[in-house]
Amino acid sequence: MNIHPLIIFGLIIFLGSCSVSKRTTKNIDNSFREAPAFKQGFAGFMVYDPEEKKILYNHNGRKYFTPASNTKLFSLYTGLKILGDSVPALKYTIKNDSLFFTGTGDPSLLNPNLPDSQVIPFLNERNETLVMVPPVYTEKHQGPGWAWDDFNSYYSAERTPFPIYGNLVEFTFKSSEEKPEISPTIFSDSIVISETKRSRVRREIRSNTFLIQNSKREINFSQNVPFHYSTEMAAALLSDTLKKPVFIKKSSEMKFTEKLYSIPVDSMYKRMMETSDNFIAEQILLMGAQQISDTLKSDIAIKHMKETFLKNLTDEPYWVDGSGLSRYNLFTPRTMISLLLKIKEEVPEDRLLSLLATGGQSGTLRNFYKAEEPYIFAKTGTLRHNHSLSGYLLTKKGKLLVFSFMNSNYTVPTSELKDAMEQILLQIRDNY
């Protein structure tokens, strides 16, 4: 009888670290006990060999931690299970001389960090009158447990039913000029000169008024600021791009018979996982929710995943958003291992590793875990006093291990913590 590896994993979670040599185990134990980086914080670390179906090392693996952007591994799995091969862009139907369309939460439309969407060519070619119909959407623009004062930061772009331009305004400052270049240009009329001695742009919290200091900068730089979303703003931006009017019709009775797809899902996943793109992660949950319910609501996708594909996780995940910006999220290292095993079983290895940041080479790991042969393929996660790293570790013997390293409530610089983590990960790489 074949037994699912996750069931086997569940049966041995209490066995500890018997599978790593006593010497290596002792060295790692000493690191957790004596390294200054781990002295005052709280650390959890688990390594699992999926080939041998056994835990190699376990330190606080059943304890809960704030995962930060490790949460994006849950968003990735949601997309893999619900979205298919291509990103759903629009639902639409044609009545008389009008094309009625509604958003799906697709983050790719005019997003400079993703491939060109099919939406603009499609709408450009239509001769019908374009009518935007807002979908069922009851979410707040920011997620539960987000820091409210981060609204001006690029990493807190609003989650919305019809994203456009990544829901960001780009301000490009040149040292020789007082005023910045602005994209999309429609926001050029939203600038207010401020007397505040501030070199960077600050948006007013409840409007699209952007405050800047009218003076020459000493260096060239760009700043991306989230704009405040509304259906009217989305229609205006789309109309400005298409150079033809886009009307709005609010209707709960509209039935959409057709669907348009925009980009391959892997281009979206790769951007999210390599650079830790919060905006994409949030939109994946919204898209997933609409695929199964016709309503863009993150809780719908989370509940569906927990009741179906994630119902046999080792510990219940306290999961509230897509990006990990929320401090309400709580996961254990062994739950992260369970999730990573599920992903590994369902995604070919070459594809899977290509989506993740690679130590010393790409994304958020470009400057960390450097080696002649890359050995860390993982997702980082950092909030103040919290840092996690979960993914796959390639040993010198060619084994691909699954690991989760989670840290909360530390007070040392994160760079110091990463150095201590690296020493432990190297011992696993070199001795197994």
Side-chain angles (χ1 to χ4, degrees):
M1 179 177 66
N2 293 326
I3 302 177
H4 194 283
L6 284 177
I7 297 176
I8 297 173
F9 177 66
L11 293 173
I12 63 175
I13 53 179
F14 298 109
L15 295 181
S17 55
C18 59
S19 297
V20 174
S21 71
K22 291 183 178 179
R23 185 173 186 178
T24 301
T25 298
K26 185 176 180 180
N27 288 340
I28 297 175
D29 287 343
N30 287 339
S31 294
F32 281 118
R33 186 169 52 251
E34 300 173 5
F38 301 119
K39 280 282 188 180
Q40 289 186 296
F42 185 54
F45 178 53
M46 182 174 278
V47 186
Y48 183 75
D49 183 343
E51 184 179 323
E52 299 292 332
K53 297 181 175 59
K54 59 187 178 184
I55 293 174
L56 306 183
Y57 189 87
N58 179 14
H59 177 78
N60 289 330
R62 59 186 299 192
K63 301 295 185 181
Y64 282 92
F65 294 82
T66 300
S69 284
N70 270 203
T71 306
K72 293 183 177 71
L73 286 163
F74 281 81
S75 298
L76 172 65
Y77 193 56
T78 300
L80 290 169
K81 299 304 291 185
I82 298 177
L83 294 185
D85 296 331
S86 299
V87 177
L90 298 176
K91 291 182 177 181
Y92 67 95
T93 194
I94 299 172
K95 291 187 176 182
N96 300 323
D97 61 350
S98 296
L99 186 150
F100 296 88
F101 64 94
T102 191
T104 62
D106 173 19
S108 69
L109 180 58
L110 298 170
N111 188 326
N113 297 312
L114 292 173
D116 290 341
S117 166
Q118 295 300 309
V119 170
I120 297 301
F122 172 76
L123 294 179
N124 261 329
E125 293 172 0
R126 307 304 302 199
N127 295 319
E128 299 92 349
T129 299
L130 301 180
V131 184
M132 177 185 290
V133 181
V136 179
Y137 184 78
T138 60
E139 297 282 58
K140 295 180 179 178
H141 293 313
Q142 293 186 300
W146 290 16
W148 71 267
D149 55 344
D150 284 347
F151 74 92
N152 198 69
S153 301
Y154 73 92
Y155 54 79
S156 286
E158 294 183 355
R159 49 186 192 168
T160 64
F162 194 91
I164 185 167
Y165 290 100
N167 289 353
L168 296 171
V169 184
E170 183 178 31
F171 297 86
T172 302
F173 292 90
K174 296 183 179 179
S175 59
S176 59
E177 299 177 10
E178 291 184 348
K179 294 183 179 180
E181 296 177 1
I182 301 169
S183 178
T185 56
I186 195 173
F187 289 104
S188 298
D189 294 335
S190 302
I191 299 300
V192 171
I193 304 302
S194 171
E195 297 301 322
T196 304
K197 299 299 182 182
R198 181 192 298 120
S199 63
R200 302 186 70 81
V201 179
R202 182 76 176 179
R203 197 197 85 210
E204 291 188 348
I205 189 168
R206 292 182 177 85
S207 73
N208 283 314
T209 299
F210 298 89
L211 307 178
I212 68 170
Q213 179 186 359
N214 197 16
S215 62
K216 293 182 180 180
R217 273 63 176 177
E218 295 181 359
I219 58 172
N220 298 336
F221 70 92
S222 293
Q223 181 185 355
N224 289 303
V225 181
F227 62 77
H228 191 53
Y229 181 88
S230 67
T231 301
E232 292 73 19
M233 176 57 69
L237 285 166
L238 187 57
S239 176
D240 183 65
T241 300
L242 295 171
K243 306 305 179 188
K244 57 183 176 181
V246 175
F247 299 95
I248 298 172
K249 178 180 177 63
K250 296 182 179 180
S251 171
S252 59
E253 305 297 324
M254 186 70 63
K255 302 297 182 183
F256 300 97
T257 58
E258 305 294 333
K259 186 179 291 186
L260 176 73
Y261 293 87
S262 57
I263 62 174
V265 291
D266 276 10
S267 57
M268 176 179 67
Y269 297 152
K270 186 175 181 65
R271 169 70 187 180
M272 174 179 70
M273 301 306 291
E274 278 198 342
T275 69
S276 205
D277 193 304
N278 295 323
F279 168 66
I280 290 175
E282 295 298 336
Q283 298 301 135
I284 286 175
L285 291 193
L286 296 179
M287 286 190 291
Q290 194 194 57
Q291 291 288 96
I292 59 178
S293 72
D294 282 337
T295 297
L296 282 80
K297 188 173 180 61
S298 297
D299 284 351
I300 293 174
I302 291 172
K303 184 173 185 289
H304 174 76
M305 292 298 294
K306 289 176 69 173
E307 291 179 349
T308 54
F309 307 112
L310 298 173
K311 63 182 178 181
N312 61 344
L313 287 182
T314 318
D315 302 299
E316 180 185 359
Y318 291 84
W319 176 22
V320 303
D321 73 356
S323 62
L325 282 173
S326 177
R327 291 179 181 265
Y328 298 163
N329 295 307
L330 287 174
F331 306 144
T332 68
R334 67 184 186 180
T335 285
M336 298 305 302
I337 295 285
S338 296
L339 175 66
L340 289 160
L341 285 171
K342 284 178 175 289
I343 296 172
K344 184 177 184 300
E345 287 176 358
E346 299 179 29
V347 181
E349 186 174 302
D350 288 348
R351 178 190 176 196
L352 174 56
L353 299 187
S354 73
L355 296 177
L356 298 169
T358 302
Q361 292 194 355
S362 65
T364 56
L365 292 178
R366 180 182 297 276
N367 297 318
F368 304 97
Y369 308 103
K370 296 180 179 180
E372 187 172 334
E373 292 293 330
Y375 71 103
I376 295 293
F377 307 85
K379 183 71 201 76
T380 56
T382 306
L383 290 171
R384 186 173 295 183
H385 308 305
N386 294 274
H387 177 72
S388 295
L389 182 71
S390 298
Y392 307 94
L393 186 155
L394 185 63
T395 72
K396 285 195 170 181
K397 293 181 180 179
K399 281 184 170 287
L400 190 68
L401 308 178
V402 184
F403 76 95
S404 180
F405 209 144
M406 308 187 81
N407 301 271
S408 291
N409 304 323
Y410 61 87
T411 57
V412 299
T414 299
S415 59
E416 184 177 329
L417 179 77
K418 290 178 180 178
D419 288 342
M421 291 169 59
E422 182 175 26
Q423 295 310 307
I424 291 174
L425 292 170
L426 285 170
Q427 290 187 65
I428 297 293
R429 182 199 68 173
D430 296 343
N431 293 288
Y432 192 79

